[in-house]
Amino acid sequence: MIGEFVYGIRTLLRGFGTWRRRPGLMALGLLPGLIAALVLLAGLVPLALSLAPISDALTPFADGWIPAWRSAFRAAVGIVIFVAALALASAVFSALALAIGDPFYQRIWRAVEADLGDAPPSDGGGFWMAVGEGLRLVLLGILIAILVLLLGLIPLVGGVLAAVGGVVLSGRMLARELTARAFDARDLTPADRAVLFRGSRARVLGFGVATQLCFLIPGGAVAVMPAAVAGATTLARTMLERTPLPQHTPMQPDPLHPAHPAPPAPPAPGSVSAPLPPPAGSGRV
């Protein structure tokens, strides 16, 4: 399991290797992430500056506590709030970047598929599909943020559980969303995708956690997004190789046992054909 988790991290590193092969294309992939990051910073910076009054407003019951305990508790509440905000921001960033940069990321995905060989003929959806996936990503991000807040309420270990849970859940969500294009292009059903993810849980988690941790670095989300798209394409291919799915192709006729016997070949020119059997009722005994 640990080896598979590490393999997932290495898959993200392979995504960075695409910079060496296709630097111009990867550079274009930075623009959507930069736009999405600027939008999110407009909300995260005021939130970070307002954590103290927000924590005070949410914990009026602590006003009569010993000052040291009150300060420590409210600081922990502020940290949990910001961790939940980061979990939501990660989902919103990915949704915005994927929607804004769909043409750029589609070209990155197609280039990686071509490098790996046997690329699917379909493009895996377009702009409106990316918008729909983005909305779903935001809803999942809200649910994760709520869960992180609830984890943060657990006494003593709440802060640690919230931080770890936020990274793990957000990373898994990112991995699933970033591999969606490769699976859409192959017309995989939700049941097929569930089989693939069950067969590569640790690998998917390693890729997602590594991506999420990079997103938490200031400026990391912008720099990592093109590599994450490239790495997720490789991840999807390795998942398909690791857990092959049954191919739903029409049955081919068996040349040795055909369902309908082929008509006899006409005799060659100049040859004598065998005599035909007499018709039924001809009176011959």
Side-chain angles (χ1 to χ4, degrees):
M1 182 174 180
I2 295 177
E4 284 293 301
F5 187 88
V6 173
Y7 189 97
I9 298 174
R10 289 170 55 195
T11 305
L12 177 62
L13 297 178
R14 289 179 64 182
F16 282 102
T18 312
W19 276 98
R20 183 178 64 256
R21 298 188 300 272
R22 312 217 180 224
L25 188 58
M26 295 291 281
L28 286 175
L30 296 174
L31 296 177
L34 180 60
I35 296 172
L38 290 176
V39 172
L40 286 178
L41 283 176
L44 284 177
V45 171
L47 175 64
L49 297 176
S50 304
L51 282 177
I54 292 175
S55 298
D56 293 347
L58 292 176
T59 58
F61 54 86
D63 289 340
W65 291 11
I66 298 172
W69 285 103
R70 182 176 64 238
S71 299
F73 176 73
R74 286 177 171 171
V77 170
I79 292 173
V80 170
I81 292 172
F82 196 69
V83 168
L86 287 178
L88 177 58
S90 175
V92 174
F93 169 82
S94 300
L96 283 175
L98 290 173
I100 296 170
D102 181 69
F104 305 109
Y105 296 143
Q106 187 178 79
R107 292 175 63 184
I108 293 174
W109 166 79
R110 174 60 64 183
V112 176
E113 289 278 11
D115 291 342
L116 295 174
D118 193 23
S122 171
D123 286 337
F127 172 75
W128 291 111
M129 182 174 287
V131 172
E133 290 291 333
L135 292 176
R136 190 170 74 91
L137 193 59
V138 171
L139 292 177
L140 289 175
I142 293 173
L143 293 177
I144 291 174
I146 293 173
L147 181 58
V148 168
L149 281 173
L150 293 177
L151 288 174
L153 298 178
I154 298 175
L156 300 178
V157 296
V160 175
L161 287 178
V164 174
V167 170
V168 170
L169 293 175
S170 298
R172 186 173 181 275
M173 177 186 63
L174 282 175
R176 293 183 71 94
E177 293 301 321
L178 291 173
T179 53
R181 183 181 294 278
F183 294 149
D184 288 339
R186 291 168 173 83
D187 295 325
L188 297 187
T189 64
D192 290 336
R193 302 183 196 206
V195 171
L196 292 175
F197 281 107
R198 281 198 302 268
S200 302
R201 283 192 179 96
R203 184 176 299 190
V204 170
L205 188 60
F207 175 85
V209 167
T211 303
Q212 175 65 13
L213 289 176
C214 289
F215 277 16
L216 295 178
I217 301 172
V222 176
V224 172
M225 194 62 180
V229 172
T233 307
T234 303
L235 176 65
R237 294 288 288 266
T238 63
M239 292 169 67
L240 287 165
E241 294 168 1
R242 178 182 175 86
T243 310
L245 296 173
Q247 299 296 321
H248 304 289
T249 55
M251 295 294 293
Q252 299 297 326
D254 187 349
L256 299 179
H257 302 86
H260 302 284
S271 64
V272 178
S273 61
L276 296 174
S282 61
R284 179 178 297 181
V285 179

